[in-house]
Amino acid sequence: MRTRQPELGNLQQWQISEAQFLRQTDKADLFLGSQPTFWESARIDDYWGFTYIQRQGFTPPENFSPGNSDPRQRLQSSQVGRTITGRAEPGSLVQLVPGFGTRVLGEVFVDSSGIYRFEDVTSDNRFFTSNYRVFIYPEGRLTATPEIRDATFSTVPGQIPAGASAWLVSGGLRREASTALNPSLVGNFSEFRGGVAGRWGVSEDLTLGLGGVYDQSLQGLAELFYRPSNFPIEVAVSALGGEDLDLIANIRYEPTRNLRATFSSDRFSNRFNINWNVARGLSLFATTDSNNPTSAGFQANYSRRNFFTFARASLDTQSNLRWNLRQRLGAWEFSQRGNEIGTFSELSYNLSRSRFLNLGHSLLLDYETRAQNINNDLLTLGWRYRSEDRASDGNYIWEAQLGYGVGSVGNGLVAAVGTTVLPGLLLRGRYQRVSVTSNQSSFSIDLVSSLNFQGGVSPGDRRSNYFRTQGGLLITTFLDKNNNGKWDSGEEYYVDPEGAMVSVNNRPTNSLRPEVGSDRTKLRLTPGKYRIDIDPAGLPLDWRAETSAFAVNVVAGSYTSVIIPLIQSYSFSGVVTNAEGNALAGARVEAVSTEDTSQRRFSVTNTAGVYYLEGLTQGE
């Protein structure tokens, strides 16, 4: 559940922005509450209801959508890319970020077409969540309050195996968020929407889908995914037809490894692209778009030690030139991007000689122009610091920037600082006295916090959205001094500093990116059964685990708790001799608990008659 309050001082503005119950298994899924529609709806309001999916003959990918779940993706047996599109005012800066995170995955400077597009955004979420938002900054001003939208994306159904099938039923209501004139905690519900759909693996080459949808009117749904084994073409089409036809298509033809042609279509435009890799590091491309002029250009990249260059440029039939350039040489880096709206150039020098030039201390020289109805420019000289270390969600532990700008509309200070030094807390502020289009001061501050209430209150990592479809292990190890199997006040926690004490499916925890605290170790894992092994070499001296291996079932929604009590372990040694006092070799010496005769430890004496009994518990 998520809540939203646009105005902190107005309690009537509180509203529930999302509430969802989600249960996913290999064979069936259930969505209750707020959710995406399984059809490509042109409406941006919320859909609240239920969706049930049943699959036969295939399972979705194991690592699919840890950030969010989409019914359309759960009908697929392989991951697909998305195209995220939308409209914004020309000159806006559009940033793509994961669902409820802040890390920027991509930036687009909106040209005169007014359309932004992020191509082939992957749904393989080992690195990113599959739910996205776009931040739209008017006139490219990062201190301005951005318009935040849930990402509108186009995707096409994936192929399923021959003989496999799936069906889906969904029904719900349209929800309009509360407004100042009509405040409501849960929003206002109206207008039934829903539908049914099925998908069948007709053959190894062909998958078909059919269904029906009611969304203001009755509409038919048809899907086709075709990939012949003897011809280099892939066809994926989804059509929703009623009074209007909404067609989403991706057709890809790749006769050679160096030549690729694609046709794609969505509600914004129809596009045809061709790309030819002329040589290593050099390609030519051309694009036609139903809403934009035809364009053509080239892309080149070249990399050697301490040297890197990348260039991409295109020219369309209306003489609009668009380009993106990046050049590195040692500690120097120059980047520039531009289109008919304006340009942005940056020259940086890394003072820290970091292997990654965007880390450490850097000097920056930025120059920005704007040519839309005006001819403005802004030159900024500044300093930037980014720490080598990052928080678990990818944000820098420390980040700061300070500069002074001089431009056609004025001059002034530009400053920013951000930190994630406290676990679970992101604090970031930015001040801008002047921009390329305005001399009005602006200031913004972001505070993002997260708490984890599992096993007591502790700072989180701001990625709780991950638990919608994924899980993990919360491993707690303690010194069980009274041997009762549970933690009692005064008993010490133990965390293996090397991360080798516990292995998961034969992989030590230090290889699984653990989050290590003073009393726990947290691991993020996909749902399923895991083998847990405890290596005695990682245990403290004179302590041992009563069980050395066991199985754990990880489920989505939270961390699965694993408690490992360590009991005190004693050693006893001595020498066995015969009646003459000579050492007796090869004798078996056994220690048997008087309380439980099944608890036994034995040793065989060496040539000196010495025996050594290990792993003895308290008692007689």
Side-chain angles (χ1 to χ4, degrees):
M1 178 179 290
R2 285 194 302 132
T3 61
R4 178 173 181 266
Q5 186 184 14
E7 298 178 17
L8 288 176
N10 188 348
L11 295 180
Q12 292 185 336
Q13 288 294 308
W14 275 103
Q15 57 187 268
I16 296 176
S17 58
E18 180 184 27
Q20 183 188 79
F21 172 82
L22 174 65
R23 177 167 175 79
Q24 296 180 326
T25 66
D26 288 345
K27 294 185 178 297
D29 300 329
L30 176 63
F31 297 74
L32 292 176
S34 56
Q35 58 191 279
T37 58
F38 74 85
W39 64 94
E40 285 287 346
S41 177
R43 306 167 70 175
I44 61 174
D45 47 25
D46 290 343
Y47 175 61
W48 288 55
F50 79 94
T51 299
Y52 180 74
I53 302 172
Q54 183 75 45
R55 291 178 293 272
Q56 297 87 29
F58 74 99
T59 58
E62 187 176 85
N63 289 328
F64 206 65
S65 304
N68 198 12
S69 190
D70 189 315
R72 285 165 292 189
Q73 296 173 347
R74 300 294 293 176
L75 294 177
Q76 301 175 116
S77 61
S78 61
Q79 294 143 336
V80 296
R82 297 173 168 188
T83 299
I84 293 177
T85 58
R87 293 186 181 275
E89 286 295 321
S92 300
L93 179 67
V94 182
Q95 293 182 341
L96 177 68
V97 300
F100 306 111
T102 58
R103 185 159 58 94
V104 178
L105 307 178
E107 281 187 345
V108 172
F109 188 50
V110 181
D111 56 34
S112 57
S113 68
I115 295 177
Y116 60 85
R117 179 174 285 108
F118 298 93
E119 298 282 357
D120 197 28
V121 179
T122 181
S123 293
D124 183 350
N125 291 282
R126 290 169 294 181
F127 306 105
F128 308 115
T129 60
S130 68
N131 184 40
Y132 300 94
R133 292 182 300 167
V134 289
F135 288 12
I136 302 176
Y137 293 91
E139 300 179 348
R141 297 185 63 182
L142 290 174
T143 51
T145 302
E147 178 186 355
I148 302 176
R149 302 177 185 173
D150 290 331
T152 301
F153 60 87
S154 301
T155 186
V156 290
Q159 198 170 19
I160 61 176
S165 62
W167 63 271
L168 175 152
V169 59
S170 182
L173 299 173
R174 171 193 177 192
R175 191 191 80 144
E176 294 180 346
S178 64
T179 63
L181 297 177
N182 189 15
S184 172
L185 179 65
V186 296
N188 304 297
F189 294 90
S190 63
E191 295 184 31
F192 172 80
R193 302 159 73 186
V196 295
R199 189 172 297 172
W200 299 269
V202 179
S203 67
E204 292 183 358
D205 300 338
L206 180 64
T207 296
L208 294 177
L210 291 173
V213 171
Y214 182 82
D215 189 353
Q216 293 185 308
S217 63
L218 280 175
Q219 303 173 68
L221 176 67
E223 300 172 323
L224 179 146
F225 193 100
Y226 180 58
R227 183 187 297 161
S229 57
N230 56 358
F231 194 72
I233 193 171
E234 297 178 5
V235 179
V237 179
S238 175
L240 187 66
E243 296 179 358
D244 299 313
L245 179 65
D246 191 0
L247 181 69
I248 298 175
N250 279 332
I251 301 174
R252 176 173 174 149
Y253 175 60
E254 194 167 357
T256 70
R257 295 179 59 183
N258 297 325
L259 183 63
R260 180 178 68 253
T262 60
F263 171 80
S264 56
S265 174
D266 54 35
R267 67 171 60 93
F268 293 104
S269 64
N270 302 318
R271 301 169 301 281
F272 177 77
N273 304 279
I274 188 167
N275 188 288
W276 178 29
N277 292 329
V278 180
R280 183 178 180 181
L282 177 63
S283 61
L284 304 177
F285 62 87
T287 301
T288 63
D289 190 317
S290 59
N291 287 342
N292 292 294
T294 299
S295 64
F298 77 94
Q299 178 172 305
N301 61 80
Y302 180 79
S303 180
R304 285 294 182 269
R305 185 177 181 181
N306 296 326
F307 177 83
F308 170 79
T309 185
F310 170 84
R312 181 182 175 92
S314 66
L315 182 67
D316 64 26
T317 53
Q318 293 184 357
S319 300
N320 292 321
L321 178 64
R322 296 161 186 171
W323 70 94
N324 193 335
L325 174 67
R326 175 167 291 181
Q327 175 73 61
R328 291 182 182 178
L329 178 60
W332 292 91
E333 179 173 347
F334 175 74
S335 62
Q336 186 182 68
R337 64 176 183 265
N339 55 34
E340 65 276 11
I341 300 299
T343 66
F344 177 82
S345 306
E346 181 175 272
L347 177 66
S348 67
Y349 179 76
N350 189 273
L351 299 171
S352 301
R353 297 286 180 172
S354 172
R355 183 165 63 95
F356 301 101
L357 295 187
N358 63 336
L359 300 180
H361 297 272
S362 298
L363 294 178
L364 307 175
L365 180 64
D366 297 344
Y367 181 67
E368 187 175 1
T369 68
R370 190 58 51 87
Q372 187 186 20
N373 302 322
I374 54 177
N375 287 290
N376 288 349
D377 56 24
L378 177 67
L379 179 69
T380 305
L381 177 65
W383 158 86
R384 182 184 66 201
Y385 172 75
R386 288 174 174 169
S387 62
E388 297 273 353
D389 297 327
R390 300 194 188 196
S392 56
D393 60 0
N395 284 289
Y396 302 103
I397 297 295
W398 286 100
E399 182 177 12
Q401 186 168 338
L402 180 64
Y404 192 85
V406 178
S408 54
V409 296
N411 54 76
L413 191 69
V414 177
V417 63
T419 180
T420 57
V421 68
L422 296 176
L425 184 67
L426 169 66
L427 178 62
R428 182 169 53 203
R430 178 185 288 268
Y431 172 78
Q432 191 169 0
R433 175 63 183 84
V434 65
S435 72
V436 70
T437 58
S438 172
N439 62 356
Q440 292 185 347
S441 299
S442 59
F443 175 73
S444 67
I445 186 168
D446 299 324
L447 177 64
V448 185
S449 61
S450 176
L451 289 176
N452 175 21
F453 292 92
Q454 194 169 358
V457 181
S458 64
D461 64 0
R462 299 184 300 277
R463 293 186 299 176
S464 58
N465 194 52
Y466 178 101
F467 287 115
R468 291 171 180 265
T469 60
Q470 303 293 281
L473 292 178
L474 193 156
I475 302 172
T476 303
T477 306
F478 64 94
L479 306 183
D480 189 11
K481 295 180 180 179
N482 59 6
N483 201 19
N484 65 352
K486 63 181 182 179
W487 182 84
D488 297 301
S489 179
E491 293 181 334
E492 300 176 17
Y493 290 102
Y494 175 74
V495 177
D496 177 20
E498 302 297 328
M501 180 187 76
V502 177
S503 62
V504 180
N505 285 355
N506 296 319
R507 295 183 61 188
T509 55
N510 57 8
S511 68
L512 298 172
R513 295 188 176 184
E515 298 172 38
V516 181
S518 60
D519 61 349
R520 67 191 66 187
T521 299
K522 294 186 289 186
L523 301 172
R524 292 185 179 273
L525 299 169
T526 56
K529 290 183 172 63
Y530 292 85
R531 176 188 172 97
I532 307 298
D533 289 280
I534 301 174
D535 186 352
L539 299 178
L541 189 64
D542 293 332
W543 294 87
R544 69 177 178 87
E546 196 166 11
T547 303
S548 60
F550 50 91
V552 173
N553 187 33
V554 173
V555 297
S558 66
Y559 290 106
T560 298
S561 181
V562 175
I563 299 175
I564 304 176
L566 301 181
I567 57 178
Q568 286 185 304
S569 175
Y570 297 91
S571 301
F572 188 82
S573 63
V575 179
V576 177
T577 58
N578 58 17
E580 290 76 24
N582 298 320
L584 191 63
R588 176 186 176 99
V589 179
E590 194 167 39
V592 183
S593 170
T594 59
E595 297 179 359
D596 182 2
T597 57
S598 65
Q599 293 189 28
R600 295 169 177 259
R601 293 289 186 272
F602 76 91
S603 173
V604 178
T605 59
N606 60 16
T607 56
V610 175
Y611 64 88
Y612 194 79
L613 295 162
E614 296 181 284
L616 301 178
T617 59
Q618 283 183 324
E620 296 183 358

